[in-house]
Structure formats: structure tokens, C-alpha cells
Amino acid sequence: MAVRPFRRRAVGRARAAIGALAVTLVAGAAVAVPAAPAEAAGGKVVYLTFDDGPSPVYTPRILSILNRYGARATFFELGENVAAHPSVTRQVARQGHSVQNHSWSHPDLRRLSAATFNSQVGNTDRAIRAQTGRTPTCLRPPYGAVNGTVRSRAAGLGKQVVLWSVDPADWSRPGSGAIQSRVLGAVRPGSVILLHDGGGDRSQTAAALPAILSGLKARGYGFGLLC
């Protein structure tokens, strides 16, 4: 079953409360950014990421925009949405983007038993692999909620925990102009940009994306894959 819009409203306060924690963790070992060809050549690279999909409405729209600008992105998908919309996940992979693990149903992974944690991650792996032929190597915990237990369990499943460094809070629907200005105002070489293609109405994110991509390209940025 697809993620319902009320989920994002219900967790808004929780996401805001841990936002500072998530950004702090990015500065540590949570995010490993692989060297991309553009970096090796002295260029500048940013990493676009999209959470909570796939959505049958917004993911194809976002894919079309990315294709128009020649940009690649990493999609952290929910297993329940992959199961509900498998063809959209296949489309993401066919267009050269990376599909990674965002859990099955968006729980706070810190609060789960080991068995439930393994089920959330393992079932999502299987759903993604069935559509892409590849097992995700990265895990983005919902809400950016990470502790030592989450890291240890993720590592035991062969997963690297990946967060972000630029969060325009597009999930709160602040307006396409605000999303655009927040991204372009905060981005630096190597930035990991958090956006959403699922979990609710993502029309503002889609509307902001062309200006974000054109602005980044005008500054000489290329687009890499995280995983």
C-alpha cells in the first residue's frame, strides 16, 4: 500500500526534532561519498537523493525532469511502495539511477527489535532486487534516526548508513521557491541533497527541480550516485 499523506503530517514534529542530529551525523562517518569521475577531473559534484517513493504520480515526473537535465540521482525507496508500484522502480533503475533501501514502512529503526529491523531492511532488499536485479548497499534510516545499534545492525546486513547534508524540508511543502532557494543557498561541492518523490503531495518538489538543476549546472556542478 502506498504511503499516505497523513504520515508526513504525523511525523513532521519528529522529523524537525531530529533534523539537527541528522545533519550533525552527516559530518561524521554516516555518509561516504564515492569519488566520481567529475571529481577526479577537478570538477564539482553534488548528490541528489529522493526519499519515500516510488510514487506513480511524482516519481515519473521527477524522472522526466532529471532526464531533461542529464542528472542522475539516488532513490531511497520504501519496500511497501516498491511492492505497490513495481514498474516505477523498474523505470528508476532503467534510467540509470540508483535504488537504495529506506526500510519497508518508514519506522524509527532505533525502536525496533533486531528481528523487526532485519525484516524491515531484508524485505525491502528483496522487493528492490526483484525489480532492479541489484541488492541495495546503502540504508537511509527514516527521519535520519541513527544510533550505534542502527549502525551495527545495518553493517551486519552489509549496509552503509547514508544521511544528507542539505535539507530544504520539501516534505513540509514550503513552496517551490523556498525549496529552490534553500538548496541553492546551502549546496557545496560534495553536498548530499535530500528531496522527496513520495510520502504525499510532491508537486512543489517537482516544480522546484528544474530551477535547482539549471542553477547547479550553471555553477559547474555534476551529479553523482551515492551508492
Side-chain angles (χ1 to χ4, degrees):
M1 182 173 62
V3 179
R4 295 181 294 276
F6 77 81
R7 167 177 289 157
R8 191 59 56 208
R9 295 196 296 271
V11 303
R13 289 190 296 273
R15 185 186 289 275
I18 67 170
L21 171 63
V23 173
T24 299
L25 286 170
V26 170
V31 173
V33 178
E39 287 179 311
K44 300 187 295 186
V45 174
V46 294
Y47 300 88
L48 297 167
T49 67
F50 293 88
D51 282 14
D52 294 354
S55 158
V57 175
Y58 300 106
T59 304
R61 189 181 305 179
I62 286 168
L63 289 173
S64 176
I65 297 168
L66 292 172
N67 183 63
R68 190 189 319 158
Y69 287 88
R72 296 188 300 170
T74 303
F75 287 76
F76 289 92
E77 296 191 341
L78 295 174
E80 65 180 7
N81 283 351
V82 176
H85 311 293
S87 64
V88 183
T89 294
R90 291 196 298 272
Q91 183 182 1
V92 173
R94 279 198 309 268
Q95 294 190 12
H97 305 288
S98 177
V99 181
Q100 299 297 322
N101 196 313
H102 195 40
S103 81
W104 183 265
S105 59
H106 213 277
D108 184 335
L109 298 180
R110 299 171 301 177
R111 302 180 181 277
L112 304 184
S113 68
T116 304
F117 181 101
N118 290 344
S119 176
Q120 282 279 331
V121 176
N123 288 343
T124 302
D125 272 355
R126 286 185 283 275
I128 291 173
R129 185 169 58 244
Q131 304 309 322
T132 69
R134 297 185 177 182
T135 301
T137 58
C138 291
L139 171 67
R140 174 169 282 172
Y143 319 112
V146 180
N147 60 14
T149 299
V150 169
R151 292 183 186 280
S152 177
R153 290 174 176 173
L157 295 175
K159 297 285 182 287
Q160 182 175 359
V161 172
V162 176
L163 299 178
W164 56 85
S165 57
V166 175
D167 180 4
D170 67 321
W171 57 269
S172 66
R173 302 182 64 205
S176 60
I179 296 168
Q180 171 193 341
S181 63
R182 290 172 185 178
V183 170
L184 295 178
V187 74
R188 301 290 184 271
S191 288
V192 179
I193 301 167
L194 171 64
L195 295 167
H196 294 79
D197 63 322
D201 181 346
R202 299 298 168 230
S203 57
Q204 292 182 3
T205 300
L209 192 55
I212 290 171
L213 295 176
S214 61
L216 290 171
K217 293 190 77 168
R219 297 182 190 181
Y221 283 105
F223 305 95
L225 298 180
L226 273 177
C227 309

